[in-house]
């Protein structure tokens, strides 16, 4: 996984995002709207929980037999006239696609939304060859014009409002202010006119895919704007980059996900456009089809007993829309193609960079992500397991307890909580010790490493009288026959 476009680790990027009030308002507006609609869309189906469990079972079966289904997919694709390429990592996948594009001799390609190509930074690799990749999904086009990475799995430009998008389009499409309003229809129309020219001129298209059906070698993409269908039918050459976990055994299995994916992502009963393509067909669709199957850390994740469930993900983004952390910091703070709760468990396993060790801590462990996941990924449990690995790695690097302040603090807390007597003693000690930093009942500007807490949030001071003391006095008064209040 070569996605390294954002160098800041989460603990540095998140505070900057929190200071952006416009970002927080945009995120809250969209995520709350989507989550409400999703709840209504899923409630319509009396068998929603059964579908959810069916999706989980299909994914688990496929992952246990992944080699079998991938080989079957390869055989069917090549029988239909396509070519299959295997890529162990991002560099190999990029080399394959660059070679295929170079063979066509083009300087511009069109792309339909593909997180897998974002994951390998394909656009950057093509740019090294002087090839421009035009994003054709409206939201992807917006962030491309803004020279920013996507901020959301489903709504990449979720962090931008209409006024910001209008300013981008005025500059990019060379329009005067009186030629374009911030009305959504006007903005979409301007993008459509720009993209139609690109579609008609393109000889090569690059796509991702939501699923690939092993039994027929068919690839599938679901979308809302029709740009995917234009990309997969108009250009002479189609290159699809697919993560190996996207394969499903049969069309009957696919039927389950075509019910759960649109309701979980866009809160729709069915996607406006669901496109399928199988190999090549003379006079209809691309004349050349290449399928690049990317591992990119997935085999290692597959081999992990706990982390394996991450590969069930169908990229619906439902977990992002209910996450209190994502709602406040947005996607860029995660520094990865995959933000939010699913990104916090997927990125450390696929990319494995040292800075990713803090991503599993970007969660309250509230469990909302698990409740909405259409394939029942127990994200909180995987987050806890990944945190354990981070702690183990830190302990291995710093075996002495004194060398790790977090370990020392936790050991102290464990000792204090071990018995009621110790807890009450620690509480009394803290009550006395807090005095220099209490202002109007709030602890401010704590010293040393504790400053990280008081810099970011208000911490209520420990009250002068604890509940335990009040209760003890109350019971004593009752026994004496006095007023227990």
């Amino acid at each position: 996984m070569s996605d390294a476009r954002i160098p800041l680790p989460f603990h540095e990027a998140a505070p900057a995002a929190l200071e952006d009030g416009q970002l927080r308002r945009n995120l809250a507006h969209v995520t709350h709207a989507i989550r409400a609609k999703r709840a209504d869309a899923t409630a319509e189906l009396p068998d929603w929980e059964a579908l959810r469990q069916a999706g989980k079972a299909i994914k688990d079966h496929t992952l246990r037999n992944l080699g079998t289904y991938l080989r079957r997919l390869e055989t069917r694709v090549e029988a239909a006239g396509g070519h299959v390429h295997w890529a162990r990592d991002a560099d190999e996948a990029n080399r394959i696609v660059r070679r295929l594009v170079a063979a066509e001799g083009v300087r511009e390609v069109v792309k339909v939304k593909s997180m897998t190509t974002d994951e390998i930074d394909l656009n950057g690799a093509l740019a090294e060859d002087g090839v421009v990749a035009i994003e054709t999904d409206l939201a992807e086009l917006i962030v491309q014009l803004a020279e920013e990475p996507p901020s959301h799995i489903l709504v990449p430009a979720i962090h931008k409002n209409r006024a910001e998008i209008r300013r981008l389009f005025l500059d990019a499409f060379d329009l005067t202010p009186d030629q374009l309003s911030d009305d959504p229809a006007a903005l979409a129309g301007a993008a459509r006119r720009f993209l139609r020219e690109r579609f008609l001129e393109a000889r090569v298209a690059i796509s991702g895919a939501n699923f690939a059906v092993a039994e027929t070698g068919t690839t599938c993409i679901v979308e809302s704007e029709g740009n995917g269908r234009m990309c997969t039918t108009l250009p002479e050459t189609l290159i699809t980059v697919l993560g190996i976990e996207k394969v499903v055994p049969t069309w009957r299995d696919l039927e389950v996900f075509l019910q759960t994916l649109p309701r979980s992502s866009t809160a729709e009963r069915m996607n406006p456009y669901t496109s399928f393509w199988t190999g090549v067909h003379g006079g209809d669709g691309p004349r050349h089809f290449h399928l690049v199957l990317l591992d990119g850390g997935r085999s290692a994740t597959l081999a992990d007993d706990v982390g394996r469930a991450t590969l069930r993900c169908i990229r619906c983004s439902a977990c992002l829309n209910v996450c209190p952390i994502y709602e406040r910091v947005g996607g860029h703070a995660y520094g990865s193609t995959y933000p939010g709760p699913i990104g916090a468990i997927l990125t450390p396993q696929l990319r494995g960079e040292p800075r990713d060790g803090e991503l599993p801590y970007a969660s309250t462990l509230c469990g909302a992500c698990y409740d909405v996941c259409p394939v029942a990924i127990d994200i909180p449990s995987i987050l806890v397991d990944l945190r354990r690995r981070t702690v183990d790695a830190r302990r291995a690097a710093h075996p002495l307890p004194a060398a790790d302040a977090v370990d020392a603090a936790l050991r102290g807390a464990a000792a204090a909580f071990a018995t009621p007597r110790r807890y009450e003693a620690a509480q009394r000690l803290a009550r006395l010790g807090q005095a220099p930093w209490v202002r109007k009942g709030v602890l401010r500007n704590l010293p040393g490493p504790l400053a990280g807490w008081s810099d970011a949030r208000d911490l209520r001071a420990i009250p002068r009288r604890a509940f335990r003391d009040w209760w003890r006095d109350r019971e004593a008064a009752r026994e004496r026959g006095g007023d227990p209040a």
Side-chain angles (χ1 to χ4, degrees), residues 26 29 39 72 108 138 187 194 206 209 301 335 388 423 473:
N26 294 347
H29 173 72
R72 188 172 301 169
E108 183 176 291
L138 177 57
L187 296 172
F194 170 77
I206 298 174
T301 305
R388 176 190 58 77
Y423 174 73
D473 295 344

Side-chain angles (χ1 to χ4, degrees), residues 388-428:
R388 176 190 58 77
R389 299 181 200 187
T390 299
V391 171
D392 288 346
R394 190 173 61 223
R395 284 173 174 164
H398 305 284
L400 295 177
D404 190 320
V406 175
D407 258 11
L410 291 175
R411 283 192 173 92
F417 281 98
T419 67
R421 184 185 299 276
R422 289 184 186 175
Y423 174 73
E424 291 183 43
Q427 195 175 44
R428 285 194 294 272

Side-chain angles (χ1 to χ4, degrees), residues 4 41 98 135 175 195 202 217 256 265 274 291 337 342 346 381 389 412 447 472:
R98 290 169 70 171
E135 299 289 350
L175 298 173
L195 290 173
V256 172
S265 55
T274 304
L291 177 61
T337 299
I342 189 64
L346 186 60
S381 293
R389 299 181 200 187
R472 192 179 293 121

Side-chain angles (χ1 to χ4, degrees), residues 297-351:
R298 288 160 175 80
S299 291
T301 305
L302 183 66
D304 188 284
D305 290 339
V306 177
R308 181 183 308 138
T310 311
L311 297 180
R312 288 189 214 136
C313 178
I314 58 174
R315 312 289 194 267
C316 70
S317 77
C319 61
L320 277 68
N321 300 326
V322 298
C323 177
I325 304 299
Y326 177 85
E327 181 183 324
R328 284 159 179 79
V329 303
H332 291 166
Y334 292 81
S336 166
T337 299
Y338 306 105
I342 189 64
I345 60 172
L346 186 60
T347 301
Q349 295 182 88
L350 295 189
R351 191 161 65 181

Side-chain angles (χ1 to χ4, degrees), residues 110 210 215 268 280 309 345 363 404:
V110 290
N210 293 94
E215 72 175 347
E268 295 172 298
V280 296
I345 60 172
S363 170
D404 190 320

Side-chain angles (χ1 to χ4, degrees), residues 93-94 96-98 100-102 106 108-118 120 122-123 126 131-137 199 202-209 221 227-228 230-232 235 237-242 277 289-290 292:
N94 284 333
I96 292 169
V97 177
R98 290 169 70 171
L100 295 172
V101 172
V106 298
E108 183 176 291
V109 300
V110 290
K111 277 184 65 193
V112 60
K113 187 164 60 176
S114 167
M115 301 201 70
T116 309
T117 59
D118 287 344
I120 62 176
L122 178 61
N123 288 8
L126 289 173
V131 176
V132 177
I134 304 293
E135 299 289 350
T136 63
D137 175 88
F199 284 131
R203 288 170 46 204
V204 177
I206 298 174
S207 84
I221 190 167
N227 59 308
M230 301 283 271
C231 280
T232 57
T237 298
L238 173 61
I239 303 169
T240 298
V241 182
L242 184 80
W277 62 99
F289 172 57
H290 298 272
V292 181

